Amino acid sequence: NRHEAPVSHDPPLCEPAWLAPKGLHAWLLAARTHPWLPVTASTWTAGALVLEIEPDAPGAGTPVSVRLHLHAGEVLDIARAAPGERAPFRLLAPGAVWRAIVAGQRDPMKAVLAGDVTLRGRLATLGPFVRAAQDLVAAARTAWDLPDPNTEKP
C-alpha cells in the first residue's frame, strides 16, 4: 500500500518499545542464549554496568538508564536502572551514538576510546572484554530483530 510508512532498519533506541520492560526482557533472553557470551564474559566479576542514553539534543527528553548485571559469563539481569543508581561502570552517550553501536556501525569499545561514549569506571578493567561488549550488542540486535551488519546481503 502506497500510504504505508516505509520500513526502516534505523534502530529507534530511545523509543519506549526498546527500553520498555518487554524490550529489555527480550535482550536479556537473547543475551542468556548467545553462544559466545558465556565464554567472552567468563571472567567478568566487576559488577553491573549502567548504560545512560542521553537525548540527542539538550532539552529533547529525559535520559534513560539501563543496568546490565553480569557475573562470570552469566547475564543475571538487564533492566531499567533507577535514577542515580550506583554501579561500578557507567557508560554515557547520546541516543545517536547508541543507535550507531546497536546497528553495528560503531564498535562499542572504539566509541569509548574515541570519547563518543563517556566511561565512568576503570578502562583497564573493561579492556579484556571487548568481545563480550560486541556479543552483548549482537544479542540486542537479535532481540530487537535488527539486521546483522556482518552478514552479506543477497
Side-chain angles (χ1 to χ4, degrees):
N1 186 337
R2 65 186 178 110
H3 296 289
E4 291 179 11
V7 175
S8 170
H9 291 292
D10 292 335
L13 186 59
C14 293
E15 288 185 9
W18 281 37
L19 300 175
K22 185 177 178 180
L24 294 176
H25 184 70
W27 187 11
L28 172 65
L29 294 178
R32 284 183 172 169
T33 59
H34 190 281
W36 290 105
L37 195 53
V39 175
T40 59
S42 65
T43 59
W44 179 265
T45 57
L49 298 101
V50 171
L51 310 180
E52 291 191 22
I53 300 103
E54 301 167 335
D56 289 328
T62 305
V64 175
S65 298
V66 175
R67 177 186 6 84
L68 285 77
H69 190 182
L70 302 119
H71 182 78
E74 185 178 356
V75 182
L76 303 174
D77 193 25
I78 297 177
R80 291 286 283 264
E85 181 175 324
R86 294 179 155 272
F89 296 91
R90 295 185 85 77
L91 297 142
L92 301 83
V97 173
W98 289 119
R99 284 190 298 275
I101 290 170
V102 172
Q105 298 163 349
R106 298 285 311 270
D107 179 270
M109 190 60 80
K110 288 180 182 176
V112 170
L113 294 174
D116 296 326
V117 174
T118 301
L119 169 65
R120 293 190 182 142
R122 294 194 60 223
L123 180 60
T125 302
L126 289 182
F129 298 97
V130 170
R131 182 58 199 262
Q134 294 167 341
D135 290 343
L136 281 166
V137 169
R141 255 193 312 276
T142 298
W144 300 329
D145 199 28
L146 298 173
D148 183 347
N150 298 315
T151 58
E152 290 187 34
K153 297 177 184 174

